[in-house]
Amino acid sequence: MMLGERGGGDRAWKHWMSTRPWSTLKASHLVRLGGDLIRCKVAQRTLAQYLDLAPAGHNSRAALVRAAEIIEEQLKDIALAIESMSAIEYGLLRERTADEHFQDGCLATFSKHLLKRSQVFTPFEEYKMNHGTWAAIPWWSLVHGEQEQRAVEGFPIRGGLQLGVAAESPDADELVISCEEPELGPSWMSARLIFDLRDVVHACELLLLGRRQSVVVDFLTEYTDEWDDRQVHLAGSLDLSLGPEIGETLTDVATRALRRLLPGSSGPPLYHDGVPALDRLLSSSRLPKIARCPR
């Protein structure tokens, strides 16, 4: 009874399922384990309430105590199963916070806008690093001149890029990400990416970046062809891991910015439904630059 509808177990399971940021058709073992976990937790709380009300020595008390012991044993078995899971599986299984639920809705809304509205790559200014997207993936690019082409072409092979994040406070209106090659190697790469957190598109882009904890960087070189037209050549790409610490910082700052831009908004009933207030803001905003060179 406590595990089912009467004790709230089924209702809790349906609510938990509605907040999952993944397809339940592709992870049946997580659905089963998560359902057991949620139902047992609700049953445990309900049984505790009945035990508090049951008079000492009453016949029902012994049955309630035994039921509580069975639920506790089941929770221990579930805990052992969860311990053997990968970090990714655990992240999908655990209950999500209100902020994570809000983030899921914002990212679903942002991704929908990125995929349904056309974007065109435009060559950037020389010696400038740019943040943007390619479809619904964060993507950065750095343009160098012809003289630095050889050094830039070797950078993806050498790898390594030092990142720094600077913001006056978690509620700042601007965040700067600095990027440079360690000890300023042969490419002499040093750049700054500026995110204006009063801009809803920048805030969404930063949230996407923080939650993915990785970004691809294109290294571009600029040259003038025989017709004196400016051309951009893709020298190479580097998949850059931001790491959990930087990812958490970016996610926190972006979430605070979106909360300010969307006062009163909460997570959607279903994560893929999106956030209506954000949908309206994005509809009247320009999209990020496409930083991905088509060649």
Side-chain angles (χ1 to χ4, degrees):
M1 285 169 51
M2 300 305 169
L3 290 170
E5 183 69 30
R6 189 165 182 174
D10 285 350
R11 293 194 301 274
W13 181 82
K14 289 175 183 176
H15 172 73
W16 175 76
M17 286 291 292
S18 74
T19 63
R20 296 302 88 197
W22 41 276
S23 171
T24 57
L25 300 176
K26 299 178 180 178
S28 58
H29 66 299
L30 295 182
V31 174
R32 175 66 182 271
L33 194 59
D36 288 349
L37 177 63
I38 292 298
R39 286 191 174 97
C40 284
K41 284 186 175 180
V42 172
Q44 190 178 51
R45 290 195 296 267
T46 306
L47 282 167
Q49 293 172 358
Y50 278 106
L51 274 168
D52 289 340
L53 297 173
H58 194 275
N59 293 337
S60 64
R61 188 173 184 84
L64 290 171
V65 169
R66 179 58 187 146
E69 290 173 349
I70 292 172
I71 296 297
E72 181 63 30
E73 290 169 3
Q74 180 69 7
L75 282 170
K76 288 180 180 177
D77 289 340
I78 293 172
L80 286 173
I82 291 175
E83 283 180 10
S84 66
M85 284 184 161
S86 67
I88 292 175
E89 287 177 309
Y90 173 73
L92 295 173
L93 179 67
R94 65 178 175 77
E95 293 185 71
R96 307 180 76 70
T97 66
D99 271 349
E100 287 173 321
H101 195 36
F102 175 68
Q103 292 161 15
D104 291 339
C106 288
L107 289 176
T109 306
F110 186 51
S111 296
K112 181 180 69 173
H113 277 264
L114 291 174
L115 294 172
K116 77 178 183 181
R117 292 170 61 182
S118 59
Q119 294 172 273
V120 179
F121 172 79
T122 302
F124 301 113
E125 298 174 20
E126 189 178 353
Y127 306 114
K128 183 177 180 182
M129 195 164 191
N130 301 273
H131 60 81
T133 62
W134 187 38
I137 303 173
W139 211 281
W140 297 348
S141 67
L142 177 66
V143 180
H144 277 286
E146 289 183 82
Q147 294 181 347
E148 295 83 12
Q149 181 169 349
R150 181 171 297 178
V152 173
E153 287 177 346
F155 187 83
I157 299 173
R158 296 191 301 274
L161 194 63
Q162 290 180 339
L163 298 179
V165 176
E168 291 182 0
S169 72
D171 294 308
D173 287 330
E174 184 178 278
L175 181 139
V176 178
I177 300 179
S178 60
C179 314
E180 64 179 28
E181 188 171 5
E183 300 179 358
L184 291 180
S187 71
W188 289 89
M189 199 197 90
S190 181
R192 296 167 76 244
L193 298 168
I194 299 175
F195 290 83
D196 180 0
L197 299 176
R198 294 162 296 190
D199 183 326
V200 66
V201 174
H202 279 209
C204 286
E205 192 183 336
L206 192 68
L207 177 61
L208 179 64
L209 187 64
R211 284 286 293 269
R212 286 184 64 90
Q213 294 187 15
S214 67
V215 62
V216 177
V217 183
D218 278 348
F219 298 93
L220 311 175
T221 56
E222 181 190 53
Y223 65 95
T224 304
D225 63 19
E226 58 269 30
W227 296 282
D228 291 329
D229 291 330
R230 182 183 181 225
Q231 301 292 333
V232 175
H233 168 71
L234 176 60
S237 302
L238 177 68
D239 188 4
L240 180 64
S241 174
L242 305 182
E245 186 174 344
I246 290 179
E248 288 174 11
T249 298
L250 300 184
T251 299
D252 181 50
V253 172
T255 302
R256 289 169 181 262
L258 287 167
R259 291 283 194 196
R260 294 195 299 273
L261 291 166
L262 306 167
S265 293
S266 59
L270 296 171
Y271 86 96
H272 49 74
D273 285 349
V275 178
L278 178 59
D279 187 58
R280 291 190 292 271
L281 269 181
L282 288 171
S283 295
S284 59
S285 302
R286 57 113 189 97
L287 287 175
K289 294 179 178 179
I290 287 190
R292 175 63 173 159
C293 179
R295 285 180 279 223

